[in-house]
Amino acid sequence: MDSPHGAAVSAEGFGLKGPRGWVFRGVGLTAPPGSLVAVEGPSGSGRTCLLLALTGRMRPTEGHAEVGGARLPGRAAAVRAFSALGPVPGVSELDPAFTVAEHLRERALLRRRFDGSPRSLLRPGAARAASRAAIDTALDTVGLDLAALPKAERTSVRDLERLEALRLSLALALMGRPRLLAVDDTDLKLSGPERAAAWRLLRGLADGGTTVLAVCGEAPEGALTVRTEDRRERMDAPGTTDAPDTSDAEDAPATPDAPDTSTAEAAPDATGTTATTATEDTPGAPATTTTGSTTNGKETADALTRTGRA
């Protein structure tokens, strides 16, 4: 059962197939509300597509998931409504030419336009005050001190350190008070101390009730972990085989359990991988699944734009 805020996440036989193979397949996961879930694996192993599928932004090929009581793929729009993306290359990146203040004002205006009540349009002063309060709360939650930036709130995104940019992305996502927060490349280009600070931040968000899905190269201790590996590494291991899959995802019939995979074009170079998932209920008893590689940020964004699921 969900907490008043966080969203429980579960998946069974969850998979996404592209024209050249499985991006990920057979993923199983059980995470209670307020969990920190680390999607661990090398770049190109299906991590980002799994993240987008669990937040209702890519349509899976087989299996199902349930997020916050909404079953995927059928209720993807409902999942998108209460989930938010932190930094995801090609999908929700910060504009390097914008200042910190411009990003914050833009997000506040979007929230007032699409999430606010019609009555707020008649009370612009109160709406602006509410937006300012939401901004201050989000910045305080992620620990981003605007006064400490080189040009305060007028600092351009291109001038931010990697950890500062991550904090800003998370602040923008948290302004909508999501029940599920997804973060890509959490530990990319971070030093050891910066990586530890990033995970402390995400752990704090999870402890506060928000369920966090975070893609990373190396999962932190104590996180519920989903692992993805390059299929080529698995095939090189002694005693393992992997029969090639010659079927085309676009030719597969659409059924309730295997919906169409128009978004599968997001992984034109997909190769199968092996993923293991472990839950807090069954520590040390991982389940082995097969998955594949993801695309780069631009290809993912193009696929989401074509399908209207961004």
Side-chain angles (χ1 to χ4, degrees), residues 77-118:
V79 174
R80 291 196 297 270
F82 60 73
S83 63
L85 297 181
V88 178
V91 181
S92 58
E93 290 176 301
L94 298 173
D95 189 324
F98 275 27
T99 66
V100 172
E102 287 170 338
H103 269 295
L104 292 169
R105 284 198 298 268
E106 179 187 55
R107 184 58 56 91
L109 287 171
L110 289 172
R111 286 192 65 245
R112 285 163 55 186
R113 172 63 178 83
F114 295 105
D115 299 335
S117 66

Short mmCIF file of all heavy atoms in Angstrom, two decimals, residues 77-118:
data_model
loop_
_atom_site.label_atom_id
_atom_site.label_comp_id
_atom_site.label_asym_id
_atom_site.label_seq_id
_atom_site.Cartn_x
_atom_site.Cartn_y
_atom_site.Cartn_z
N ALA A 77 -0.36 7.45 -18.53
CA ALA A 77 -0.63 8.87 -18.31
C ALA A 77 -0.79 9.17 -16.83
O ALA A 77 -0.35 10.22 -16.35
CB ALA A 77 -1.89 9.28 -19.08
N ALA A 78 -1.42 8.27 -16.09
CA ALA A 78 -1.58 8.47 -14.66
C ALA A 78 -0.23 8.47 -13.95
O ALA A 78 0.00 9.26 -13.03
CB ALA A 78 -2.49 7.38 -14.08
N VAL A 79 0.67 7.58 -14.38
CA VAL A 79 2.00 7.52 -13.77
C VAL A 79 2.78 8.79 -14.08
O VAL A 79 3.47 9.35 -13.22
CB VAL A 79 2.76 6.27 -14.25
CG1 VAL A 79 4.20 6.28 -13.73
CG2 VAL A 79 2.05 5.01 -13.78
N ARG A 80 2.66 9.27 -15.31
CA ARG A 80 3.36 10.51 -15.67
C ARG A 80 2.88 11.68 -14.84
O ARG A 80 3.64 12.61 -14.55
CB ARG A 80 3.17 10.82 -17.16
CG ARG A 80 3.88 9.86 -18.09
CD ARG A 80 3.98 10.41 -19.49
NE ARG A 80 2.69 10.63 -20.12
CZ ARG A 80 2.03 9.74 -20.83
NH1 ARG A 80 2.55 8.52 -20.99
NH2 ARG A 80 0.87 10.02 -21.37
N ALA A 81 1.60 11.65 -14.45
CA ALA A 81 1.03 12.78 -13.71
C ALA A 81 1.64 12.95 -12.33
O ALA A 81 1.72 14.07 -11.82
CB ALA A 81 -0.49 12.61 -13.60
N PHE A 82 2.08 11.85 -11.68
CA PHE A 82 2.63 11.98 -10.32
C PHE A 82 4.12 11.64 -10.25
O PHE A 82 4.68 11.54 -9.17
CB PHE A 82 1.85 11.15 -9.30
CG PHE A 82 1.83 9.66 -9.55
CD1 PHE A 82 2.95 8.88 -9.33
CD2 PHE A 82 0.67 9.04 -9.97
CE1 PHE A 82 2.94 7.51 -9.54
CE2 PHE A 82 0.63 7.67 -10.18
CZ PHE A 82 1.77 6.91 -9.97
N SER A 83 4.75 11.46 -11.41
CA SER A 83 6.20 11.22 -11.42
C SER A 83 6.90 12.41 -12.07
O SER A 83 6.28 13.20 -12.79
CB SER A 83 6.53 9.94 -12.19
OG SER A 83 6.16 10.05 -13.56
N ALA A 84 8.17 12.55 -11.80
CA ALA A 84 8.96 13.65 -12.36
C ALA A 84 10.34 13.16 -12.73
O ALA A 84 10.87 12.24 -12.10
CB ALA A 84 9.05 14.81 -11.37
N LEU A 85 10.91 13.79 -13.75
CA LEU A 85 12.25 13.45 -14.19
C LEU A 85 13.24 14.48 -13.69
O LEU A 85 13.03 15.69 -13.86
CB LEU A 85 12.33 13.40 -15.73
CG LEU A 85 11.48 12.35 -16.44
CD1 LEU A 85 11.71 12.45 -17.94
CD2 LEU A 85 11.77 10.95 -15.94
N GLY A 86 14.31 14.00 -13.08
CA GLY A 86 15.46 14.85 -12.84
C GLY A 86 16.23 14.93 -14.15
O GLY A 86 15.63 14.89 -15.22
N PRO A 87 17.54 15.02 -14.10
CA PRO A 87 18.29 15.09 -15.35
C PRO A 87 18.27 13.77 -16.12
O PRO A 87 18.68 12.74 -15.61
CB PRO A 87 19.72 15.43 -14.88
CG PRO A 87 19.78 14.93 -13.47
CD PRO A 87 18.41 15.12 -12.91
N VAL A 88 17.76 13.81 -17.36
CA VAL A 88 17.80 12.68 -18.28
C VAL A 88 18.29 13.23 -19.62
O VAL A 88 17.58 14.02 -20.24
CB VAL A 88 16.43 12.01 -18.46
CG1 VAL A 88 16.52 10.86 -19.47
CG2 VAL A 88 15.90 11.48 -17.12
N PRO A 89 19.49 12.87 -20.06
CA PRO A 89 20.04 13.43 -21.30
C PRO A 89 19.09 13.27 -22.48
O PRO A 89 18.55 12.19 -22.72
CB PRO A 89 21.33 12.62 -21.51
CG PRO A 89 21.74 12.23 -20.13
CD PRO A 89 20.45 11.96 -19.40
N GLY A 90 18.87 14.38 -23.19
CA GLY A 90 18.01 14.35 -24.37
C GLY A 90 16.54 14.43 -24.07
O GLY A 90 15.73 14.53 -24.99
N VAL A 91 16.16 14.38 -22.79
CA VAL A 91 14.73 14.40 -22.44
C VAL A 91 14.41 15.57 -21.52
O VAL A 91 13.49 16.35 -21.78
CB VAL A 91 14.32 13.07 -21.76
CG1 VAL A 91 12.84 13.09 -21.40
CG2 VAL A 91 14.63 11.89 -22.67
N SER A 92 15.16 15.72 -20.44
CA SER A 92 14.88 16.78 -19.47
C SER A 92 16.15 17.50 -19.05
O SER A 92 16.35 17.83 -17.89
CB SER A 92 14.18 16.19 -18.24
OG SER A 92 14.99 15.17 -17.65
N GLU A 93 17.02 17.75 -20.00
CA GLU A 93 18.29 18.42 -19.70
C GLU A 93 18.07 19.91 -19.40
O GLU A 93 17.14 20.54 -19.89
CB GLU A 93 19.24 18.29 -20.89
CG GLU A 93 19.76 16.90 -21.13
CD GLU A 93 20.61 16.83 -22.38
OE1 GLU A 93 20.11 17.14 -23.46
OE2 GLU A 93 21.80 16.45 -22.26
N LEU A 94 18.96 20.46 -18.61
CA LEU A 94 18.98 21.90 -18.40
C LEU A 94 19.51 22.59 -19.65
O LEU A 94 20.37 22.06 -20.34
CB LEU A 94 19.88 22.24 -17.21
CG LEU A 94 19.49 21.68 -15.85
CD1 LEU A 94 20.58 21.98 -14.82
CD2 LEU A 94 18.15 22.24 -15.38
N ASP A 95 18.98 23.79 -19.92
CA ASP A 95 19.49 24.58 -21.04
C ASP A 95 20.73 25.34 -20.56
O ASP A 95 20.64 26.16 -19.65
CB ASP A 95 18.42 25.57 -21.49
CG ASP A 95 18.79 26.28 -22.79
OD1 ASP A 95 19.99 26.57 -22.99
OD2 ASP A 95 17.89 26.54 -23.60
N PRO A 96 21.89 25.06 -21.15
CA PRO A 96 23.12 25.69 -20.65
C PRO A 96 23.13 27.21 -20.79
O PRO A 96 23.88 27.89 -20.08
CB PRO A 96 24.22 25.05 -21.50
CG PRO A 96 23.53 24.55 -22.72
CD PRO A 96 22.16 24.16 -22.28
N ALA A 97 22.31 27.76 -21.69
CA ALA A 97 22.28 29.20 -21.89
C ALA A 97 21.40 29.91 -20.87
O ALA A 97 21.50 31.12 -20.70
CB ALA A 97 21.82 29.54 -23.30
N PHE A 98 20.51 29.18 -20.20
CA PHE A 98 19.62 29.77 -19.20
C PHE A 98 20.38 30.02 -17.91
O PHE A 98 21.31 29.29 -17.56
CB PHE A 98 18.44 28.85 -18.92
CG PHE A 98 17.29 29.01 -19.87
CD1 PHE A 98 17.47 29.47 -21.15
CD2 PHE A 98 16.01 28.69 -19.47
CE1 PHE A 98 16.42 29.61 -22.03
CE2 PHE A 98 14.94 28.82 -20.33
CZ PHE A 98 15.14 29.29 -21.61
N THR A 99 19.93 31.02 -17.18
CA THR A 99 20.45 31.21 -15.82
C THR A 99 19.64 30.34 -14.87
O THR A 99 18.57 29.81 -15.22
CB THR A 99 20.35 32.67 -15.39
OG1 THR A 99 18.96 33.04 -15.29
CG2 THR A 99 21.06 33.59 -16.37
N VAL A 100 20.14 30.21 -13.66
CA VAL A 100 19.42 29.46 -12.63
C VAL A 100 18.05 30.08 -12.40
O VAL A 100 17.02 29.39 -12.33
CB VAL A 100 20.23 29.42 -11.34
CG1 VAL A 100 19.41 28.79 -10.20
CG2 VAL A 100 21.53 28.65 -11.54
N ALA A 101 17.99 31.41 -12.29
CA ALA A 101 16.72 32.09 -12.06
C ALA A 101 15.74 31.87 -13.19
O ALA A 101 14.53 31.68 -12.96
CB ALA A 101 16.97 33.59 -11.88
N GLU A 102 16.22 31.87 -14.43
CA GLU A 102 15.33 31.66 -15.58
C GLU A 102 14.73 30.26 -15.56
O GLU A 102 13.54 30.07 -15.86
CB GLU A 102 16.09 31.90 -16.88
CG GLU A 102 16.37 33.38 -17.13
CD GLU A 102 17.34 33.60 -18.28
OE1 GLU A 102 18.13 32.68 -18.61
OE2 GLU A 102 17.33 34.71 -18.83
N HIS A 103 15.53 29.27 -15.21
CA HIS A 103 15.00 27.91 -15.11
C HIS A 103 13.92 27.83 -14.02
O HIS A 103 12.86 27.21 -14.22
CB HIS A 103 16.13 26.92 -14.79
CG HIS A 103 16.76 26.33 -16.00
ND1 HIS A 103 16.09 25.50 -16.88
CD2 HIS A 103 18.02 26.45 -16.50
CE1 HIS A 103 16.89 25.13 -17.85
NE2 HIS A 103 18.08 25.69 -17.65
N LEU A 104 14.18 28.44 -12.88
CA LEU A 104 13.23 28.38 -11.77
C LEU A 104 11.93 29.11 -12.12
O LEU A 104 10.83 28.62 -11.83
CB LEU A 104 13.86 28.97 -10.51
CG LEU A 104 15.02 28.17 -9.92
CD1 LEU A 104 15.74 28.98 -8.85
CD2 LEU A 104 14.54 26.84 -9.34
N ARG A 105 12.05 30.29 -12.73
CA ARG A 105 10.85 31.04 -13.11
C ARG A 105 10.03 30.30 -14.16
O ARG A 105 8.80 30.26 -14.10
CB ARG A 105 11.22 32.42 -13.62
CG ARG A 105 11.61 33.41 -12.52
CD ARG A 105 11.54 34.83 -13.03
NE ARG A 105 12.47 35.06 -14.13
CZ ARG A 105 13.71 35.51 -13.98
NH1 ARG A 105 14.18 35.76 -12.75
NH2 ARG A 105 14.48 35.72 -15.02
N GLU A 106 10.72 29.70 -15.13
CA GLU A 106 10.02 28.96 -16.17
C GLU A 106 9.23 27.80 -15.57
O GLU A 106 8.06 27.59 -15.92
CB GLU A 106 11.02 28.43 -17.20
CG GLU A 106 10.37 27.61 -18.32
CD GLU A 106 11.39 26.97 -19.22
OE1 GLU A 106 12.26 26.24 -18.68
OE2 GLU A 106 11.32 27.16 -20.44
N ARG A 107 9.87 27.04 -14.67
CA ARG A 107 9.17 25.91 -14.06
C ARG A 107 7.98 26.38 -13.23
O ARG A 107 6.92 25.74 -13.23
CB ARG A 107 10.14 25.10 -13.21
CG ARG A 107 9.54 23.83 -12.60
CD ARG A 107 9.00 22.89 -13.69
NE ARG A 107 10.00 22.54 -14.65
CZ ARG A 107 10.80 21.47 -14.56
NH1 ARG A 107 10.68 20.67 -13.50
NH2 ARG A 107 11.68 21.21 -15.50
N ALA A 108 8.15 27.50 -12.51
CA ALA A 108 7.05 28.03 -11.71
C ALA A 108 5.88 28.44 -12.59
O ALA A 108 4.71 28.18 -12.27
CB ALA A 108 7.53 29.20 -10.88
N LEU A 109 6.17 29.09 -13.72
CA LEU A 109 5.11 29.50 -14.64
C LEU A 109 4.38 28.29 -15.23
O LEU A 109 3.15 28.30 -15.38
CB LEU A 109 5.70 30.36 -15.76
CG LEU A 109 6.13 31.77 -15.36
CD1 LEU A 109 6.89 32.44 -16.50
CD2 LEU A 109 4.91 32.61 -14.97
N LEU A 110 5.13 27.24 -15.58
CA LEU A 110 4.51 26.04 -16.12
C LEU A 110 3.59 25.39 -15.08
O LEU A 110 2.50 24.91 -15.42
CB LEU A 110 5.58 25.06 -16.58
CG LEU A 110 6.35 25.45 -17.85
CD1 LEU A 110 7.50 24.49 -18.09
CD2 LEU A 110 5.41 25.47 -19.06
N ARG A 111 4.04 25.36 -13.84
CA ARG A 111 3.20 24.78 -12.79
C ARG A 111 1.92 25.58 -12.60
O ARG A 111 0.84 25.02 -12.45
CB ARG A 111 3.97 24.73 -11.46
CG ARG A 111 5.03 23.65 -11.39
CD ARG A 111 5.53 23.49 -9.96
NE ARG A 111 4.48 23.00 -9.09
CZ ARG A 111 3.95 23.69 -8.09
NH1 ARG A 111 4.36 24.92 -7.82
NH2 ARG A 111 3.01 23.16 -7.34
N ARG A 112 2.02 26.91 -12.62
CA ARG A 112 0.83 27.74 -12.46
C ARG A 112 -0.12 27.57 -13.65
O ARG A 112 -1.33 27.59 -13.50
CB ARG A 112 1.24 29.21 -12.33
CG ARG A 112 1.84 29.55 -10.97
CD ARG A 112 2.59 30.85 -10.99
NE ARG A 112 1.77 31.96 -11.49
CZ ARG A 112 2.24 33.18 -11.71
NH1 ARG A 112 3.52 33.44 -11.48
NH2 ARG A 112 1.44 34.13 -12.13
N ARG A 113 0.46 27.36 -14.84
CA ARG A 113 -0.38 27.23 -16.04
C ARG A 113 -1.08 25.89 -16.12
O ARG A 113 -2.26 25.80 -16.45
CB ARG A 113 0.49 27.42 -17.28
CG ARG A 113 -0.20 27.14 -18.61
CD ARG A 113 -1.35 28.09 -18.86
NE ARG A 113 -1.98 27.86 -20.14
CZ ARG A 113 -2.90 26.92 -20.36
NH1 ARG A 113 -3.29 26.12 -19.36
NH2 ARG A 113 -3.43 26.77 -21.55
N PHE A 114 -0.37 24.82 -15.78
CA PHE A 114 -0.93 23.49 -16.00
C PHE A 114 -1.37 22.77 -14.72
O PHE A 114 -2.20 21.86 -14.78
CB PHE A 114 0.09 22.61 -16.74
CG PHE A 114 0.40 23.10 -18.12
CD1 PHE A 114 1.60 23.73 -18.41
CD2 PHE A 114 -0.51 22.94 -19.15
CE1 PHE A 114 1.89 24.20 -19.68
CE2 PHE A 114 -0.24 23.40 -20.43
CZ PHE A 114 0.96 24.03 -20.70
N ASP A 115 -0.81 23.14 -13.59
CA ASP A 115 -1.15 22.45 -12.35
C ASP A 115 -2.01 23.29 -11.41
O ASP A 115 -2.59 22.77 -10.47
CB ASP A 115 0.12 22.03 -11.59
CG ASP A 115 0.97 21.07 -12.41
OD1 ASP A 115 0.40 20.39 -13.27
OD2 ASP A 115 2.19 21.01 -12.18
N GLY A 116 -2.07 24.59 -11.63
CA GLY A 116 -2.82 25.46 -10.74
C GLY A 116 -4.31 25.43 -11.02
O GLY A 116 -4.77 24.97 -12.07
N SER A 117 -5.08 25.93 -10.08
CA SER A 117 -6.53 26.01 -10.26
C SER A 117 -6.89 27.24 -11.07
O SER A 117 -6.15 28.23 -11.08
CB SER A 117 -7.22 26.08 -8.89
OG SER A 117 -6.88 27.29 -8.24
N PRO A 118 -8.03 27.26 -11.77
CA PRO A 118 -8.45 28.46 -12.50
C PRO A 118 -8.56 29.68 -11.61
O PRO A 118 -8.33 30.81 -12.06
CB PRO A 118 -9.81 28.05 -13.07
CG PRO A 118 -9.77 26.56 -13.15
CD PRO A 118 -8.94 26.14 -11.97
#
